[in-house]
Amino acid sequence: MTKVRHVGVLTAGGDCPGLNAVIRAIVKSAVLDHGIRVTGFLDGFAGLLENRSREVGFDDVSNILNQGGTILGASNRDDPFRVPVPGPEGTLHEDRSDRVLETLERHRIDALITLGGDGTLSIADRLVRKGAPVVGVPKTIDNDLSETDVTFGFDSARAVATEAVDRLHTTAASHHRIMVVEVMGRNAGWIALEAGIAGGGDVILIPEIPFRYGQICEGILSRTRRGRRSSLVVVSEGAKSPDGKTVVQRMVEGSAEPVRLGGIGAVVANELESALPFEVRYVVLGHLQRGGAPTPLDRILGTRFGVAALQAAVDCAWGTMPAVRGERIVRASVKEAVARLKLVDPKGEQVATARSVGVVFGDEAA
């Protein structure tokens, strides 16, 4: 086993609260426990492709535990296996992953720790197969990575969404309106489901349970017959309309995630207002869910993940990532983590619990 003396770290994909907690833990554990140097590559994989980096020491990570974002910068547009290159016939894509290996060699990096979601970890898996010494750390507010019970960033996003639902209840009740709040999550409904339950949402619409407007309207009218003069609808950005399609805000050519979801909140609000005798307003939380200070849970989980990732690098456990299983941090396979999305089980305990307290999902079971 090669002794690890120099570790690289990068943050790729979308930002989220808790990234700095992980970076801090990696650096402090590296210095205090192992005497290892740490170099941060800037703006995700762009730093490796363009050879942009900075040494990260003890002083650099002081007082960043409670800071949102990432001190290293992030990017979700720089897949080294698919770099856009303008050409006479349009944009082509080239595999420049060899440049990543060259940068690691130039800096004499013995291990690279990549913090990111399914896109970042998929790149990490491919780099491992090319012989790169890579360890992953699972990060996403969507909580859709398999092999771990939870990802850091999710609790902070859930807390923001829950507070928004709490606040919208009072204005909905004051004006006897229906309020629709659109939250993030892409193809997984975890934020909408758990923020909806925690905030007392009356209707929760998630990608895993196709909805019908008639079922939603009947649920709201049933509340009205019980004397409730306002309702709150929590809808995930990836929720499927009755025709089975998601609402796409725009397409971004050249991005690792070209399909940008968004707009379902407005669509649902307009449909409900045309079918019900109520005023309907909608709110899109968007990137509010990514910003700000991490919750205590994400600070703790990020710290645990950072220490565990550094230890995996010391052990040369390439292609692994720290994961939560129950109360324990274990090592999981990056390849397995990105092989499938972790989605809400429509027949699972959380959905059943929500139905038992009167939540409407807009399906036949409503």
Side-chain angles (χ1 to χ4, degrees):
M1 183 181 296
T2 303
K3 181 174 176 58
V4 173
R5 298 181 177 85
H6 190 186
V7 168
V9 60
L10 62 81
T11 53
D15 68 309
C16 78
L19 284 166
N20 284 328
V22 181
I23 296 169
R24 172 180 177 270
I26 290 171
V27 172
K28 289 201 167 189
S29 179
V31 173
L32 293 175
D33 293 341
H34 305 282
I36 291 174
R37 288 175 55 209
V38 179
T39 291
F41 290 96
L42 306 181
D43 304 327
F45 288 103
L48 284 169
L49 289 169
E50 301 165 9
N51 191 28
R52 293 189 289 111
S53 64
R54 56 176 281 202
E55 190 155 344
V56 188
F58 223 83
D59 291 341
D60 299 300
V61 297
S62 294
N63 300 317
I64 68 169
L65 180 62
N66 63 340
Q67 292 181 17
T70 164
I71 63 170
L72 298 178
S75 170
N76 58 2
R77 299 179 61 90
D78 299 287
D79 180 348
F81 292 94
R82 198 172 183 270
V83 177
V85 180
E89 298 181 0
T91 301
L92 303 176
H93 293 87
E94 293 183 356
D95 181 348
R96 295 185 179 176
S97 55
D98 285 342
R99 186 174 297 179
V100 170
L101 303 184
E102 292 168 3
T103 302
L104 294 176
E105 180 66 26
R106 182 181 298 116
H107 288 270
R108 297 185 179 180
I109 298 294
D110 299 311
L112 175 68
I113 302 176
T114 62
L115 284 59
D118 56 347
T120 300
L121 295 180
S122 293
I123 294 171
D125 177 55
R126 295 185 69 181
L127 288 173
V128 169
R129 283 184 271 152
K130 284 182 69 81
V134 183
V135 170
V137 179
K139 170 238 55 167
T140 169
I141 67 170
D142 304 329
N143 200 35
D144 59 356
L145 278 172
S146 62
E147 300 300 302
T148 183
D149 293 350
V150 68
T151 54
F152 76 88
F154 171 66
D155 185 63
S156 297
R158 176 177 56 187
V160 171
T162 300
E163 182 180 2
V165 175
D166 287 345
R167 290 177 176 272
L168 289 171
H169 270 299
T170 58
T171 184
S174 297
H175 293 276
H176 315 307
R177 287 173 175 160
I178 298 171
M179 297 296 297
V180 178
V181 55
E182 179 184 317
V183 302
M184 284 181 163
R186 291 195 299 176
N187 298 310
W190 294 108
I191 296 177
L193 176 63
E194 298 198 7
I197 293 173
D202 305 302
V203 178
I204 300 176
L205 306 178
I206 59 176
E208 296 87 346
I209 302 177
F211 68 85
R212 296 182 180 180
Y213 288 111
Q215 299 293 336
I216 299 173
C217 291
E218 177 53 37
I220 292 174
L221 290 173
S222 177
R223 285 176 46 78
T224 303
R225 290 191 290 269
R226 296 196 302 271
R228 303 295 184 263
R229 300 177 66 187
S230 64
S231 294
L232 203 142
V233 180
V234 183
V235 55
S236 174
E237 64 182 354
K240 294 179 175 61
S241 56
D243 62 4
K245 297 179 180 179
T246 55
V247 177
V248 177
Q249 184 184 63
R250 61 193 175 105
M251 300 292 293
V252 181
E253 185 179 352
S255 172
E257 297 175 5
V259 179
R260 301 295 170 84
L261 299 176
I264 185 67
V267 172
V268 169
N270 290 334
E271 290 287 343
L272 294 182
E273 191 163 55
S274 66
L276 294 169
F278 300 103
E279 288 187 347
V280 184
R281 299 289 186 269
Y282 71 92
V283 175
V284 180
L285 295 187
H287 285 73
L288 282 172
Q289 296 155 94
R290 291 191 180 278
T295 60
L297 189 152
D298 276 338
R299 299 181 199 189
I300 295 168
L301 184 57
T303 301
R304 296 170 73 194
F305 273 1
V307 170
L310 194 281
Q311 187 60 53
V314 170
D315 295 340
C316 301
W318 315 135
T320 68
M321 67 177 199
V324 179
R325 301 275 176 80
E327 297 296 320
R328 299 175 56 240
I329 300 294
V330 300
R331 283 181 192 166
S333 163
V334 168
K335 182 178 181 179
E336 293 298 321
V338 299
R340 60 182 177 82
L341 291 178
K342 183 183 70 178
L343 302 176
V344 174
D345 180 359
K347 297 182 179 180
E349 183 268 337
Q350 287 203 63
V351 172
T353 296
R355 292 192 195 275
S356 292
V357 296
V359 172
V360 172
F361 287 90
D363 59 340
E364 295 293 340

